[in-house]
Amino acid sequence: MITESNLLERAAALAGLAPDTPEIVLDLDVVRANIDRAAATAHEMGVVVRPHTKTHKLPRIAHMQVEAGAVGVQVAKLGEAEVMADGGIEDILVGYPIVGEHKLARLADLAERVTISVTVDSDEVAAGISRVARERGLTIPVLIELDTGLRRLGVLPGPAAADLAERIAALPGIELAGVFSHEGHVYTQARDDGERERLTQEACRAAVDTAEVIRSRGLAAPIVSVGSAGTFRFAVRCPGVTEVRPGTYVFNDRSQIAQGAATAADLAAFVITTVVSRPTPERIVVDAGSKVLTSDRMLVPDPPASFGRVWGHNDWDVVRLSEEHGVLEVPPDAEARVGDRLAIVPNHVCPTINLASAVTVVEGGQVVGHWPVAARGRVQ
Ligand SMILES: Cc1ncc(COP(=O)(O)O)c(C=O)c1O
């Protein structure tokens, strides 16, 4: 059992297990607990989980999610979908507009091997999918992507989205499956749980209402798919939502803790570093810079100027990065010497994992493997 009081002990144990540094260590016991907890919450609310694999990029973890009840996975890019399909995952939602002949051919190749669905927010993207599906004799399920506040992709909810759905449903080779949104704006707009809940409910209601408008036109739109790790606990309680797609919940990070979506005990991935210099009492330099930690700030409304925090030390922050150096500001009496190992909690774990070629996996306090991050860099 992980408690606040044994955090330091656990950090030291994990740091000691990395064969070299900088290295990402995954605590598989915590990963399993995170997966099971989300699966149980969703199950209780009658909602299915389709985790986003961008966080882990590891087919083995996708299998753990499916074994815990996930209907399949979501990916952003076809490259990730190819890795997941090669790894034996059979139901994959590509939540990204597929544009260009080469990509359409890869999409069709995938759809011939596994169950593939895609998101669409324009007639142009739908036309390409329809054409390649018809040429190959396939029917590809499509979800209409809605903009429920993120202002990234997506059509605005309501009649305009239903008009698009109607045009898309009429295309050959396409089966209209429902609507899709990602309420990522809640991370940077909401300042407390009340606001998080309100913004999530607004976003989910807009998606559910749009699905209703589509259905009122005589079209099938069975799926209402929403979600993020930060809003998961609110989205599962929104009536009419059928599917939630958290990604970061599997490992968690500083942003998820700041969002109230995780506690220190739910952290499963750490960047283990070595102190390579202490030029002044207030400054420590570790061997992980932006090529390891990324330069992402925390996903919160006013992110602090910190690129990660040493686990168990609330006043040891990475305040500056160059490519290979992480510069920490610490109290002058901080006990850290050259050669010490420090476990750093990343601000945003997903891009951090994407920079690692492999991760060290720990279970029951022992190293049980070094897993290649199979989908890292698969951004095409
Ligand atoms: C479309 C989409 N769905 C789901 C997710 C998962 O969200 P999170 O990483 O916050 O769990 C993301 C994250 O970027 C996303 O872009």
Side-chain angles (χ1 to χ4, degrees):
M1 162 84 173
I2 300 151
T3 62
E4 294 288 336
S5 65
N6 65 19
L7 277 183
L8 271 175
E9 219 175 286
R10 182 166 165 253
L14 287 176
L17 291 172
D20 201 349
T21 67
E23 171 87 15
I24 294 179
V25 169
L26 286 188
D27 188 328
L28 208 56
D29 299 311
V30 180
V31 172
R32 195 168 287 117
N34 291 342
I35 292 173
D36 289 348
R37 198 171 46 253
T41 305
H43 183 73
E44 200 181 309
M45 300 311 295
V47 172
V48 297
V49 184
R50 180 181 290 279
H52 201 314
T53 62
K54 63 163 195 138
T55 305
H56 53 72
K57 294 192 169 247
L58 291 161
R60 288 170 85 153
I61 297 216
H63 278 290
M64 287 168 68
Q65 292 170 316
V66 170
E67 279 155 25
V71 282
V73 300
Q74 178 195 353
V75 297
K77 296 297 184 75
L78 287 170
E80 296 170 306
E82 286 158 354
V83 169
M84 291 298 152
D86 291 347
I89 299 297
E90 286 167 2
D91 184 329
I92 303 169
L93 164 63
V94 185
Y96 204 88
I98 303 298
V99 177
E101 289 310 314
H102 190 248
K103 286 194 170 61
L104 287 166
R106 287 166 65 204
L107 177 72
D109 289 346
L110 275 165
E112 285 172 350
R113 296 162 60 196
V114 294
T115 301
I116 286 282
S117 48
V118 281
T119 56
V120 155
D121 70 354
S122 70
D123 293 292
E124 291 86 342
V125 171
I129 294 166
S130 166
R131 184 171 38 75
V132 78
R134 215 178 48 232
E135 281 165 12
R136 301 271 193 113
L138 297 163
T139 301
I140 298 182
V142 162
L143 297 158
I144 307 294
E145 177 151 6
L146 304 174
D147 176 3
T148 53
L150 181 56
R151 306 291 176 256
R152 192 173 65 181
L153 296 168
V155 278
L156 288 176
D163 292 346
L164 178 67
E166 231 177 312
R167 291 195 298 276
I168 287 176
L171 296 174
I174 282 185
E175 175 195 317
L176 181 68
V179 296
F180 169 106
S181 77
H182 167 56
E183 56 283 3
H185 59 292
V186 180
Y187 281 121
T188 51
Q189 287 181 17
R191 289 179 186 274
D192 57 38
D193 258 10
E195 278 185 44
R196 285 180 200 113
E197 177 153 28
R198 181 179 59 77
L199 288 176
T200 307
Q201 292 293 342
E202 277 174 16
C204 293
R205 201 161 308 123
V208 171
D209 289 350
T210 303
E212 283 302 330
V213 177
I214 295 171
R215 290 169 194 146
S216 73
R217 298 185 186 186
L219 299 167
I223 299 174
V224 178
S225 178
V226 302
S228 73
T231 59
F232 171 82
R233 63 199 188 282
F234 307 119
V236 289
R237 297 208 306 263
C238 186
V241 163
T242 66
E243 177 177 285
V244 283
R245 306 185 320 276
T248 315
Y249 80 107
V250 70
F251 295 159
N252 290 309
D253 53 24
R254 282 183 80 198
S255 300
Q256 295 302 325
I257 292 179
Q259 294 288 330
T263 68
D266 308 322
L267 291 169
F270 303 91
V271 179
I272 310 302
T273 62
T274 297
V275 176
V276 293
S277 179
R278 187 162 186 182
T280 72
E282 298 83 10
R283 182 166 16 114
I284 287 176
V285 182
V286 295
D287 58 356
S290 60
K291 284 181 173 166
V292 175
L293 291 168
T294 79
S295 40
D296 271 31
R297 297 284 172 93
M298 282 168 76
L299 282 167
V300 291
D302 299 304
S306 164
F307 299 99
R309 175 168 284 174
V310 177
W311 203 31
H313 292 283
N314 286 338
D315 47 4
W316 296 20
D317 268 31
V318 183
V319 294
R320 207 150 33 90
L321 293 172
S322 46
E323 286 177 59
E324 309 296 355
H325 306 76
V327 178
L328 279 74
E329 246 165 39
V330 297
D333 59 351
E335 285 181 26
R337 286 188 299 273
V338 171
D340 285 357
R341 284 184 171 194
L342 303 177
I344 294 180
V345 181
N347 285 341
H348 187 190
V349 70
C350 314
T352 309
I353 298 287
N354 183 56
L355 292 183
S357 48
V359 290
T360 292
V361 184
V362 172
E363 192 173 17
Q366 309 274 339
V367 174
V368 293
H370 299 283
W371 295 356
V373 184
R376 75 165 292 210
R378 295 296 301 267
V379 292
Q380 289 188 325

